Amino acid sequence: MRRPHIRSVAVAIAVATAATGLAGTAFAGPATGAAHGVSSSATKTASVVKAAQTAAFAHASATGVSQGDELHAQDVMVDPEGARHVRFVRTHNGMQVLGGDLVVHLSRQLAYTGVTRAADHTVKPATQKAKLTARQAEQKAAAAAKGEAGTAELVVDARGGASALAYQVTVTDNGTSQTVVVDAVTGKVRSSTPDSDEFLSPKLLDTLRERGETIDPSTGIGSSANTAGLLGSGVSGATHYPATAHGTGKTLFVGSVGLTTTATSRGHYQLKDPSRYGTETRDAKGSYTEKFSAGTKFTNTTDVWGNGKTTSRASAAADAQYGVTKTLDFYKKTFNRKGIANNSKAAQAMVHWGKKVANAFWDPTCNCMLYGDGDGDMFKKPLVVLDVTGHELTHGVVEATAKLEPTYVDADGNQYGEPGSLNESLADIFGSNVEFFANNAKDTPDYLVGEKLGLAQKFLRRLDHPSLDRLEGTIDYWSSDTYYTEVHAGSGVSSHAYYLLAEGSGKKKIGSVNYDSPTYNGSTVKGIGRTKATAIFYRALTRYMVSTTDFHDARVATLKAAKDLYGASSTEYKTVDKAWAAVNVTAANTPAARH
């Protein structure tokens, strides 16, 4: 799903600071929580990191750090009320630790207030001497993932309650890659995980084939009125190039929309948005490249992109660019998140990726969205609809924060385990919010996912009553069997809790959609509104979730987030507790042995 490599072991001061950003945005914080400015000073950021590192070792019994460990800051967050949170990845004797991530929480005065940790045990392996050579590990990885192995790297695998010396190997095949972890002592394959997160799981695709059902969404749906005056407005008084321009995207799914583009010279344009960090969509032209630089730029002599039909290669690109920029705008204007990784860098997309690829996915290798054109048989068109883009880019946000990982993957590539299910749920939750944010007349916002795909059941998943999805068998409530549920199906637990928190239980009509959300315990839940519910879930993701967070951990994380934002005695806090109880996630049924 996501590659667990340490991308940088240096403290990235320039990208480390993130504020909640609730004050003055569409998502209001608590009345008493006036926002404080977050200092951009590298010195101040470094002092927060140093304080968190010191606190982690001073409170080793709580944080689990030990001799030989080094903590490498990945993110520094300062809340409006002053609390500090530093997210770390860990190395042990120079080896990266899989499942060793943690978040150290500090007060405004930089005093230690707590920790959220992925591994609840020591990460020191019983031996640090490998019996397998790197070459042997590479051969085992290549055989397991059926591809070409890269260089094996010694790591400590602290996932699943273990602590073992292992090799990590990236295996590639036809444009896709897997991260394989091989035990360095026994030679056993400990895990083999796809690096990209496909929107449609292998299990779902098999179900569609068995049913003889196709995905053939309607296209060429005309003009949308929501263009904000940008259509064809060109360059305003530009004398120097490149210059910001305003063009028209004639998309497949959302009509004609305004797109901010780049005028490279008089009468020449590129599908690149300089107002959003240079965010760009390119044409993979049927290749399986995972290098965005290898994609072909979309250029034109008019600032009009596509024709609303698949006969123009630029139509899918217009959808992709629109979806990516709307997702960026949602995160920026709602949470002051500057880009997917909160580092003020471009988001990227490539359309027409691969040959007859019936999927779309976030690819952490190129840090971009990849969209196939469909296989022409079961899957008729590019999967560039708005909530798919919001869903997949949210996987990028999770990759940059909690790095939620599936617990295990079967031989067919289906993923299982509650952290992976929570990841899919968050992608559905925030993907739906992107729809509400965009408020496009041709893709009206709702709590449905994939409603424009042309499926017989009229949606792929839904948040109010997840089990109405018969294709994936999505579940409404938690049970001890949830661990063994495919992640898209398992996502229903936290998606349902979110919907109940936002909108409440029972019947409700929002826009043109009728909802009727049940509860496990027959309780009645009165929602606090989508604005507050989403603020709570985002705060929980960025501050209180780590790679191993399961549904019971997520309950605790959202309660902590609600306490931060609204207080422990607030209606919001109490409703978070009620919403989780309504999907059978309570403190009382927390499993004694956690997977």
Side-chain angles (χ1 to χ4, degrees):
M1 184 179 286
R2 277 143 303 281
R3 179 171 301 157
H5 291 292
I6 297 176
R7 299 190 185 282
S8 171
V9 295
V11 177
I13 296 297
V15 304
T17 306
T20 304
L22 294 175
T25 71
F27 282 27
T32 57
H36 296 274
V38 179
S39 173
S40 60
S41 165
T43 300
K44 289 185 177 180
T45 302
S47 68
V48 174
V49 171
K50 181 63 176 177
Q53 289 171 325
T54 301
F57 283 94
H59 297 83
S61 60
T63 62
V65 298
S66 60
Q67 186 175 2
D69 287 354
E70 289 187 2
L71 300 180
H72 307 282
Q74 300 296 286
D75 203 2
V76 177
M77 296 154 282
V78 179
D79 296 339
E81 64 274 16
R84 274 74 166 157
H85 313 266
V86 184
R87 185 178 294 277
F88 291 107
V89 293
R90 184 184 338 200
T91 59
H92 181 75
N93 291 339
M95 297 176 288
Q96 67 169 296
V97 180
L98 309 182
D101 51 302
L102 65 158
V103 183
V104 176
H105 311 293
L106 304 172
S107 69
R108 182 194 298 275
Q109 292 75 30
L110 303 186
Y112 173 81
T113 59
V115 65
T116 304
R117 52 191 278 203
D120 59 359
H121 56 278
T122 179
V123 303
K124 183 178 180 180
T127 178
Q128 297 197 31
K129 185 175 182 180
K131 290 187 177 180
L132 265 69
T133 65
R135 178 58 181 158
Q136 288 172 324
E138 291 160 8
Q139 290 171 341
K140 286 183 176 291
K146 298 180 175 61
E148 182 178 344
T151 303
E153 171 194 4
L154 273 175
V155 298
V156 176
D157 188 359
R159 301 170 299 173
S163 186
L165 186 67
Y167 285 102
Q168 181 172 265
V169 187
T170 298
V171 179
T172 56
D173 177 51
N174 205 24
T176 62
S177 61
Q178 298 237 132
T179 294
V180 182
V181 178
V182 179
D183 194 293
V185 177
T186 67
K188 177 184 176 181
V189 174
R190 300 178 64 84
S191 65
S192 181
T193 309
D195 291 329
S196 60
D197 192 341
E198 298 179 342
F199 183 72
L200 304 176
S201 69
K203 186 177 181 180
L204 173 63
L205 294 174
D206 286 343
T207 300
L208 291 170
R209 291 187 189 98
E210 290 170 3
R211 294 187 177 198
E213 187 171 344
T214 61
I215 296 180
D216 190 13
S218 59
T219 56
I221 53 179
S223 176
S224 168
N226 187 21
T227 56
L230 295 179
L231 297 184
S233 57
V235 184
S236 301
T239 57
H240 301 285
Y241 295 97
T244 300
H246 303 291
T248 303
K250 293 190 174 182
T251 72
L252 296 174
F253 299 113
V254 288
S256 293
V257 296
L259 295 175
T260 303
T261 60
T262 299
T264 55
S265 64
R266 184 178 296 276
H268 293 86
Y269 303 91
Q270 183 179 344
L271 192 55
K272 182 177 183 178
D273 188 338
S275 69
R276 295 175 176 88
Y277 324 114
T279 288
E280 181 181 1
T281 299
R282 292 190 178 184
D283 190 344
K285 290 195 170 180
S287 75
Y288 293 93
T289 181
E290 290 184 278
K291 293 182 179 179
F292 184 74
S293 59
T296 300
K297 298 175 183 179
F298 277 98
T299 59
N300 204 357
T301 54
T302 66
D303 207 356
V304 177
W305 309 91
N307 61 3
K309 302 175 183 178
T310 56
T311 52
S312 170
R313 299 185 71 82
S315 296
D319 276 284
Q321 185 77 356
Y322 175 80
V324 171
T325 54
K326 285 300 180 184
T327 302
L328 289 176
D329 287 353
F330 161 71
Y331 279 107
K332 175 66 167 66
K333 294 182 180 180
T334 307
F335 304 117
N336 197 33
R337 188 175 187 85
K338 300 177 179 69
I340 299 305
N342 200 27
N343 57 3
S344 299
K345 290 188 177 181
Q348 300 167 331
M350 281 196 285
V351 293
H352 310 301
W353 188 83
K355 300 185 186 302
K356 295 189 175 182
V357 173
N359 229 316
F361 47 91
W362 166 257
D363 187 332
T365 300
C366 71
N367 285 306
C368 63
M369 279 294 304
L370 302 177
Y371 301 90
D373 282 332
D375 58 10
D377 180 21
M378 183 187 71
F379 198 114
K380 305 291 186 179
K381 296 184 179 75
L383 207 156
V384 288
V385 297
L386 180 60
D387 61 0
V388 172
T389 296
H391 172 108
E392 292 300 326
L393 285 176
T394 296
H395 283 312
V397 173
V398 175
E399 165 79 10
T401 54
K403 295 182 176 68
L404 292 160
E405 294 281 345
T407 309
Y408 66 99
V409 182
D410 69 17
D412 296 320
N414 295 297
Q415 303 174 25
Y416 298 84
E418 292 186 24
S421 293
L422 181 59
N423 193 340
E424 292 300 330
S425 171
L426 292 168
D428 281 353
I429 289 167
F430 291 112
S432 296
N433 270 273
V434 170
E435 269 193 7
F436 279 102
F437 176 84
N439 197 24
N440 187 288
K442 298 297 181 181
D443 190 354
T444 52
D446 50 47
Y447 290 104
L448 311 178
V449 178
E451 72 277 7
K452 294 185 72 67
L453 297 182
L455 293 165
Q457 69 179 21
K458 307 300 183 184
F459 57 87
L460 179 56
R461 291 184 294 277
R462 59 187 299 153
L463 278 60
D464 67 314
H465 194 166
S467 65
L468 292 179
D469 161 32
R470 309 300 185 192
L471 286 170
E472 293 181 304
T474 306
I475 59 177
D476 292 326
Y477 311 117
W478 181 85
S479 74
S480 58
D481 292 333
T482 302
Y483 171 74
Y484 304 101
T485 305
E486 191 274 331
V487 293
H488 296 85
S491 70
V493 175
S494 47
S495 291
H496 192 189
Y498 167 83
Y499 177 88
L500 289 165
L501 178 63
E503 302 291 351
S505 58
K507 295 182 179 180
K508 193 170 192 177
K509 186 172 183 178
I510 305 171
S512 61
V513 180
N514 291 306
Y515 302 94
D516 191 357
S517 192
T519 60
Y520 178 83
N521 52 7
S523 64
T524 298
V525 179
K526 183 179 180 180
I528 62 173
R530 181 175 49 83
T531 293
K532 290 181 178 179
T534 308
I536 289 168
F537 268 67
Y538 180 80
R539 170 72 71 103
L541 166 65
T542 54
R543 273 68 169 169
Y544 300 113
M545 292 185 185
V546 289
S547 61
T548 58
T549 297
D550 61 18
F551 290 131
H552 285 81
D553 295 328
R555 170 187 172 273
V556 173
T558 50
L559 283 169
K560 288 180 178 179
K563 180 181 178 181
D564 288 350
L565 294 171
Y566 307 108
S569 61
S570 66
T571 297
E572 292 84 358
Y573 182 92
K574 294 173 183 177
T575 308
V576 169
D577 196 36
K578 290 178 182 178
W580 282 107
V583 298
N584 197 34
V585 176
T586 67
N589 67 12
T590 302
R594 310 291 280 274
H595 292 291

